[in-house]
């Protein structure tokens, strides 16, 4: 005899009301308010709006003419590509290698995941010390090897690469754990059958592992691409205010700079709207390109 709790759905709505109220207050209202702020004239944080801009789309026109915004979007696109290759790609390679070893698998899983638990601020400071002009670890190593004079690694030529390295390194472990979980869900019988048929290890990876991991890889790629739009803390610690010469701006860091440094709140709100639009568009494109397969 079935319990009435499975037939009567009305109590479910009572339990959903607190979560719905929470989402309205802390998600939907700020999102709608931010869109409205992007069309208004707001002089500083906490200040009331002075009215609608004239014309109302002033901030969006300003973005098209803002060289720093163009730099931020270009750098963010570069970061998206780097996350696909440098985070998801390396995570796939590491997951396949760890899955094929018999001893020490737990050790490598812990080591690869460890950067995730470190604060991004601490990582930024650590990489700043590594690439210091005078006594950084890289320059001391070059000096020890007799490879010429010390180099300012955070100059304009190297700044973007220096910023991308720690971001890529930190999140490889995150996708590594997701992929390892996907590998554990592949039936062992498939590998046994392939071995009986004479398949080599590479053939088992190519025709069994990678196709069976396709949906997991697609999920990782979507997370990596959308996550690149929200990167803020680590790049800001390493290159505050887009230094040097404003060449390291990302959409997230430039939005923060406009809101908290120049107090240009309405322009910052417009940048936030663009970030949301870019996130929706890129996620749709990625879902089309890396379309999940039905098995």
């Amino acid at each position: 005899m079935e319990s009435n709790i499975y037939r009567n759905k009305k109590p479910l709505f009572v339990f959903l009301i607190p979560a719905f109220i929470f989402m309205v207050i802390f998600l939907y209202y700020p999102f709608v308010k931010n869109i409205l702020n992007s069309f208004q004239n707001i002089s500083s944080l906490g200040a009331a709006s002075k009215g609608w801009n004239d014309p109302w789309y002033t901030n969006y026109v300003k973005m098209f003419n803002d060289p720093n915004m163009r730099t931020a979007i270009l750098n963010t696109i570069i970061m998206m590509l780097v996350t696909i290759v440098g985070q998801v790609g390396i995570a796939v390679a590491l997951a396949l290698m760890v899955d094929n070893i018999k001893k020490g698998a737990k050790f490598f899983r812990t080591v690869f995941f460890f950067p995730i638990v470190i604060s991004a601020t601490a990582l930024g400071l650590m990489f700043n010390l590594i690439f210091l002009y005078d006594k950084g670890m890289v320059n001391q190593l070059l000096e020890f090897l007799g490879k010429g004079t010390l180099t300012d690694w955070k100059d304009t030529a190297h700044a973007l690469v220096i910023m991308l390295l720690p971001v890529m390194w930190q999140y490889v472990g995150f996708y590594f754990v997701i992929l390892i979980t996907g590998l554990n869900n592949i039936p062992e019988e498939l590998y046994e059958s392939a071995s009986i048929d004479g398949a080599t290890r590479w053939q088992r990876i190519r025709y069994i592992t990678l196709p069976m991991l396709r949906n997991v890889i697609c999920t990782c790629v979507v997370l990596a691409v959308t996550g690149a739009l929200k990167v803020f803390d680590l790049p800001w610690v390493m290159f505050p205010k887009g230094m040097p010469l404003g060449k390291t701006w990302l959409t997230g860091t430039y939005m923060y700079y406009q809101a908290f440094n120049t107090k240009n709140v309405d322009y910052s709100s417009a940048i936030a709207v663009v970030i949301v639009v870019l996130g929706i568009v890129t996620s749709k494109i990625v879902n089309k390109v890396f379309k999940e397969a039905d098995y």
Side-chain angles (χ1 to χ4, degrees):
M1 182 176 179
E2 287 190 22
S3 174
N4 288 331
I5 191 173
Y6 296 108
R7 291 198 295 265
N8 187 6
K9 305 296 183 182
K10 292 180 181 179
L12 294 177
F13 294 100
V14 177
F15 292 102
L16 289 174
I17 287 173
F20 180 72
I21 293 174
F22 182 87
M23 291 181 65
V24 169
I25 295 175
F26 295 103
L27 180 63
Y28 298 124
Y29 171 74
F31 178 70
V32 174
K33 184 64 176 175
N34 183 79
I35 295 175
L36 295 176
N37 288 345
S38 69
F39 300 117
Q40 296 176 337
N41 183 8
I42 305 174
S43 58
S44 62
L45 287 169
S49 170
K50 297 179 181 179
W52 300 95
N53 287 322
D54 185 24
W56 55 271
Y57 50 82
T58 298
N59 285 321
Y60 294 93
V61 174
K62 180 180 177 181
M63 269 191 285
F64 280 103
N65 300 318
D66 186 351
N68 286 332
M69 189 61 190
R70 290 197 293 269
T71 299
I73 292 177
L74 177 61
N75 289 343
T76 302
I77 293 173
I78 293 173
M79 179 163 285
M80 288 179 185
L81 298 176
V82 168
T83 55
I84 294 174
V85 178
Q87 289 181 0
V88 180
I90 293 177
V92 170
L94 292 177
L96 292 174
M97 287 190 291
V98 172
D99 190 58
N100 281 284
I101 62 175
K102 302 299 181 182
K103 295 182 180 180
K106 291 183 179 180
F107 169 77
F108 287 108
R109 291 181 186 183
T110 303
V111 169
F112 294 147
F113 184 74
F114 181 71
I116 290 293
V117 303
I118 303 176
S119 165
T121 303
L123 281 179
L125 293 174
M126 181 181 74
F127 274 85
N128 275 343
L129 293 173
I130 290 174
F131 293 104
L132 279 176
Y133 173 74
D134 189 13
K135 295 301 180 182
M137 185 182 72
V138 174
N139 282 323
Q140 288 191 45
L141 180 62
L142 291 175
E143 187 178 25
F144 175 78
L145 296 174
K147 298 294 184 180
T149 58
L150 299 178
T151 304
D152 185 0
W153 292 99
K154 295 179 69 176
D155 62 9
T156 306
H158 302 94
L160 187 59
V161 176
I162 298 303
M163 182 179 66
L164 293 175
L165 281 176
V167 175
M168 181 178 67
W169 178 71
Q170 184 182 21
Y171 286 97
V172 165
F174 175 72
Y175 302 111
F176 167 79
V177 171
I178 296 176
L179 291 162
I180 279 290
T181 305
L183 285 170
N184 291 336
N185 291 328
I186 299 176
E188 193 64 31
E189 293 80 4
L190 294 176
Y191 294 112
E192 293 175 357
S193 300
S195 297
I196 294 172
D197 291 337
T200 62
R201 177 172 295 183
W202 168 245
Q203 288 174 328
R204 292 197 297 270
I205 292 174
R206 181 180 178 184
Y207 295 108
I208 297 177
T209 306
L210 292 180
M212 294 295 291
L213 273 182
R214 178 181 172 84
N215 291 348
V216 179
I217 294 174
C218 290
T219 301
C220 290
V221 171
V222 173
L223 291 174
V225 170
T226 54
L229 286 167
K230 300 179 289 183
V231 173
F232 164 76
D233 39 12
L234 204 157
W236 183 262
V237 171
M238 295 188 68
F239 297 97
K241 301 181 181 180
M243 60 176 286
L245 303 177
K247 298 298 182 181
T248 57
W249 286 122
L250 297 170
T251 51
T253 55
Y254 193 52
M255 177 191 69
Y256 180 90
Y257 174 76
Q258 290 294 333
F260 292 94
N261 288 75
T262 64
K263 309 300 182 183
N264 199 347
V265 179
D266 51 334
Y267 189 50
S268 174
S269 298
I271 296 173
V273 173
V274 171
I275 292 175
V276 173
V277 173
L278 285 174
I280 295 172
V281 171
T282 52
S283 62
K284 290 291 184 183
I285 293 173
V286 170
N287 280 322
K288 287 288 185 182
V289 175
F290 299 93
K291 188 176 181 181
E292 294 188 355
D294 296 324
Y295 295 108

